[in-house]
Amino acid sequence: MFIYITKRLLWVIPTILTVLLVLFSLSYLLPGDPADIILGPRATPEMAAELESRLGLDKPWYHSYLIYLQNIIRGDLGTSIFRDRSVLKVILDVLPYTVILTLAGMGLAVFNGISIGLLAANYNNSYFEKFLTMVSFITASTPTYIAGVLLIVVFSVNFNLLPSIGIGDGGLLETIHHLIGPALALSVGWTGYIARLTRSSMLETLDQEFIQTEKSFGIPRYYILYKYALKKAIKPIIAVIGLGIGRLLGGAVFVEVIFNRPGLGRLIVDSVNERDLPLVRGGVLVAALLFVIANLIADISYAYFDPRIKQK
Amino acid sequence: MFKSQKFFRFKKKSIRVIKIMKKDYKAYLGGSIIMLILISAIFAPLVAPADPYKTNVTKRLEGPSLQNLLGTDSLGRDILSRLIYAARPAVLVSFGGIIISVIIGIILGLLAAYVGGILESIILFIFDVIRAFPPIILILVLLSIIGPSLLSVIVILGVTIMPRYGRVVRAETLSEKEEDFVEAARSLGADNSRIIFKHILPNIFASVLVLSGMDMASMIMWEAGLSFLGLGLQPPLSSWGVMLQESYQYIQTAPLMILWPALAIMLTMLGFSTFAESLRVALNPKLNQEV
């Protein structure tokens, strides 16, 4: 186990270095001359040269790459062109909103998914179970942005119950009130997945011998279901939570744009549209780091809960 | 003689799969939805009641009526016709994207499993770098480099999903290679290409088929999402994502309008995922959730 984790951790380092190289090469790949985009048509050559040296575009690429790496290690992600502030500060300002949104979405998905899955396993082979399976298929095929749009149409436009934009003025109740819609929208797709996983895992556990033994001892049904079976069946669900957090980070892009919330996803979309190169690089780097960490947790928890993986 | 035996075995296997799927309501549901989408995509000019690009400013934002069954949009175009025509980019993106990722994935996966050594490490490393980005963000950045068009959306989606297939193909090839029947074929003098095409590819076919059903749903989801953000397909092209984006601006005045493209996307995804699920049960490939 320890060797597996160490190997997996070491493998991350070259991956991140290559991710950095890809992000670095964006300045050569993005269409248009950065100096032109930033300064506009009336820039003098001196201004352009000054800016190019500030962005590190006047040196050979490997030289600039090393400088780029050095700066990153020192925690300097550059300065945003249009916001005129440190990229790191801009990102750290919005990151908590994305983290809270993702965790709230995951929490809702786990709670609702396990509830639906348990009901489906309990009423297996009935029409109610078929209905629940269909519900989980439909939620699993609802993209985040459609869930968001439908929630806005129903709860904000028709019933005026939930706010459709923003994050509130900072009070706890306001914050939660503004979080309900976005978190629900984010959770919808993963709810269906967890429900299906819970159902199949429960059915598999209930089929095993020790459950039959307990039944023969006359232990009450609900006790067997929720005490013994659930305890065992929950392992694969815990194992996919890491994977789910990574997926929801991607879904947060849409939720933040639709609900007009500040956050990492919206920051990346805005900076791509504005061609704010340092901000694109910084934002994508942080997103990739979070994603790699989530995947790392997912892999390790898989290996922990399902020892067969380690051998691969 | 040998060929007919082979065909007979394949036929027997498909009969078994069809037999299992015939009892599964999910197969009927998914299959009929996919047929519906394909028919509207192929026969769009025959099925659609009106021209999807014909504007009529005097009739803008009207509700459902006999003339326009689902109403008209902000430029007075018939929503139903636009929905039907929008099945075309959806089908192109999902089938095109999946073909690209399956072909590249199979080639790289086979290379990694067969050649091994440094080449295998490089290929696995490329997969890991692609997988280090959240898919939607990678697609977004790549699109901003290449520029949005139908072709670039298809290629980028294909490349982003590709590592899944590469990894599955590599893992299954490695385990198939050790099977007795492959050893037997090799000892009878079969060369690598014969073993790959006759013995290994048919055996990983099931996993690839099931995975692609699921991924086609995700591709439609991502395409519509990108177009919704204004970064994917561009108006005036009829696409569900473009329609979502256009009707989102009128969400306060005409909230019903946004329902139709939303339903179309959900229905398509439901069709692909239920069909893939029923295929998975019938074929029972050795997929594990790690991929």
Side-chain angles (χ1 to χ4, degrees):
Chain A
M1 189 70 202
F2 179 74
I3 297 169
Y4 173 79
I5 294 177
T6 322
K7 257 171 138 177
R8 195 64 189 72
L9 279 175
L10 285 179
W11 187 240
V12 165
I13 297 169
T15 315
I16 291 292
L17 278 179
T18 318
V19 165
L20 284 169
L21 184 64
V22 173
L23 290 176
F24 168 76
S25 63
L26 276 183
S27 56
Y28 302 93
L29 293 175
L30 281 176
D33 186 19
D36 276 353
I37 296 169
I38 298 157
L39 297 171
R42 262 182 280 177
T44 59
E46 292 79 31
M47 282 164 75
E50 197 267 335
L51 187 82
E52 275 182 355
S53 79
R54 197 163 62 120
L55 294 175
L57 293 174
D58 53 348
K59 300 181 189 74
W61 69 270
Y62 48 87
H63 197 96
S64 324
Y65 181 53
L66 284 182
I67 296 178
Y68 176 65
L69 282 185
Q70 259 177 8
N71 288 341
I72 298 241
I73 291 166
R74 275 192 273 126
D76 176 13
L77 296 180
T79 311
S80 161
I81 296 170
F82 293 101
R83 289 171 175 76
D84 217 21
R85 287 176 58 207
S86 146
V87 168
L88 192 66
K89 279 222 176 83
V90 176
I91 292 174
L92 285 183
D93 274 353
V94 295
L95 195 58
Y97 298 111
T98 305
V99 172
I100 290 174
L101 177 66
T102 311
L103 292 181
M106 198 67 221
L108 275 177
V110 168
F111 182 76
N112 294 337
I114 290 184
S115 315
I116 296 176
L118 281 180
L119 275 176
N122 197 10
Y123 295 99
N124 194 25
N125 287 331
S126 67
Y127 279 103
F128 185 53
E129 184 259 334
K130 286 220 166 59
F131 167 75
L132 287 177
T133 309
M134 232 41 241
V135 167
S136 50
F137 263 109
I138 291 172
T139 50
S141 29
T142 307
T144 314
Y145 48 92
I146 287 183
V149 164
L150 294 182
L151 282 171
I152 289 182
V153 170
V154 175
F155 290 106
S156 305
V157 179
N158 274 356
F159 295 119
N160 210 6
L161 283 174
L162 293 174
S164 63
I165 55 164
I167 48 160
D169 56 7
L172 186 64
L173 274 179
E174 272 283 282
T175 311
I176 294 174
H177 192 206
H178 281 78
L179 194 62
I180 297 174
L184 257 182
L186 194 58
S187 74
V188 162
W190 210 250
T191 301
Y193 181 68
I194 289 185
R196 275 159 58 192
L197 197 65
T198 310
R199 176 179 164 270
S200 62
S201 169
M202 272 302 266
L203 288 180
E204 202 176 292
T205 315
L206 287 175
D207 221 30
Q208 282 171 2
E209 269 175 13
F210 78 101
I211 298 280
Q212 302 298 333
T213 318
E214 276 159 9
K215 263 188 199 159
S216 66
F217 279 151
I219 296 173
R221 184 178 155 77
Y222 68 88
Y223 211 73
I224 295 178
L225 268 182
Y226 300 118
K227 182 106 203 255
Y228 296 109
L230 185 60
K231 214 179 194 176
K232 199 146 182 291
I234 203 126
K235 280 185 178 175
I237 299 156
I238 298 174
V240 296
I241 287 181
L243 198 70
I245 287 180
R247 293 291 141 84
L248 293 197
L249 269 176
V253 175
F254 293 113
V255 173
E256 284 163 3
V257 171
I258 292 170
F259 286 91
N260 212 353
R261 292 168 62 87
L264 186 60
R266 210 180 111 210
L267 191 73
I268 293 174
V269 173
D270 286 349
S271 59
V272 166
N273 280 333
E274 292 164 354
R275 302 242 176 275
D276 190 339
L277 186 62
L279 200 53
V280 174
R281 275 180 182 168
V284 176
L285 175 65
V286 173
L289 276 178
L290 290 176
F291 196 64
V292 166
I293 293 172
N295 280 342
L296 201 65
I297 295 173
D299 279 0
I300 292 174
S301 53
Y302 253 112
Y304 183 74
F305 289 111
D306 189 354
R308 280 169 303 174
I309 305 271
K310 259 183 299 182
Q311 292 152 6
K312 288 193 183 172
Chain B
M1 172 67 185
F2 181 65
K3 223 172 194 173
S4 64
Q5 263 180 353
K6 188 110 193 163
F7 176 72
F8 186 64
R9 222 172 52 209
F10 182 73
K11 207 175 151 193
K12 218 164 133 187
K13 198 179 172 195
S14 11
I15 289 174
R16 192 178 56 89
V17 168
I18 291 169
K19 220 176 189 173
I20 300 176
M21 285 180 80
K22 262 187 176 168
K23 287 189 196 136
D24 188 0
Y25 70 102
K26 290 194 224 80
Y28 289 99
L29 181 75
S32 41
I33 293 174
I34 294 173
M35 282 308 288
L36 182 76
I37 307 290
L38 281 179
I39 288 173
S40 9
I42 297 169
F43 301 109
L46 300 175
V47 186
D51 180 355
Y53 296 106
K54 193 165 171 273
T55 57
N56 185 351
V57 202
T58 55
K59 280 174 63 175
R60 55 195 297 266
L61 298 179
E62 279 182 3
S65 66
L66 272 181
Q67 265 163 5
N68 306 94
L69 282 177
L70 300 181
T72 57
D73 70 359
S74 58
L75 293 172
R77 295 173 292 198
D78 183 38
I79 291 182
L80 180 61
S81 308
R82 275 177 74 72
L83 269 190
I84 292 173
Y85 268 86
R88 290 184 157 181
V91 167
L92 279 179
V93 165
S94 53
F95 281 84
I98 213 70
I99 288 172
I100 289 179
S101 51
V102 166
I103 289 179
I104 304 180
I106 286 185
I107 293 175
L108 289 184
L110 280 176
L111 270 180
Y114 255 91
V115 182
I118 187 100
L119 187 70
E120 183 178 25
S121 308
I122 293 175
I123 290 173
L124 286 182
F125 189 66
I126 295 174
F127 292 167
D128 268 21
V129 170
I130 295 179
R131 279 156 39 95
F133 296 94
I136 188 71
I137 287 172
L138 181 64
I139 296 169
L140 225 148
V141 173
L142 288 179
L143 265 183
S144 73
I145 294 172
I146 303 182
S149 74
L150 189 59
L151 186 68
S152 60
V153 169
I154 293 175
V155 172
I156 288 171
L157 283 176
V159 170
T160 313
I161 300 259
M162 176 272 289
R164 264 162 78 100
Y165 295 90
R167 284 161 58 98
V168 170
V169 170
R170 174 183 160 269
E172 297 215 351
T173 310
L174 281 181
S175 69
E176 297 284 345
K177 244 170 78 176
E178 307 302 321
E179 295 280 338
D180 289 341
F181 69 92
V182 174
E183 276 302 308
R186 195 187 300 280
S187 63
L188 283 174
D191 58 357
N192 274 343
S193 69
R194 190 182 164 82
I195 290 177
I196 288 175
F197 281 103
K198 292 273 169 178
H199 298 288
I200 291 182
L201 281 185
N203 279 308
I204 57 180
F205 181 66
S207 310
V208 170
L209 199 66
V210 171
L211 267 185
S212 31
M214 299 173 187
D215 281 338
M216 281 161 88
S218 332
M219 287 195 179
I220 287 176
M221 172 177 91
W222 279 326
E223 181 270 305
L226 288 167
S227 310
F228 178 51
L229 293 182
L231 297 161
L233 305 179
Q234 302 294 321
L237 188 81
S238 275
S239 126
W240 295 326
V242 172
M243 291 174 74
L244 267 185
Q245 184 213 9
E246 285 171 347
S247 35
Y248 188 59
Q249 298 157 11
Y250 298 93
I251 196 166
Q252 300 281 348
T253 46
L256 196 63
M257 198 162 79
I258 204 162
L259 215 59
W260 310 121
L263 281 178
I265 296 168
M266 284 169 65
L267 198 70
T268 315
M269 286 182 61
L270 184 70
F272 279 118
S273 53
T274 46
F275 196 75
E277 170 73 10
S278 128
L279 256 181
R280 188 181 68 80
V281 174
L283 288 167
N284 194 21
K286 296 163 274 178
L287 280 182
N288 67 55
Q289 284 152 338
E290 191 200 14
V291 293

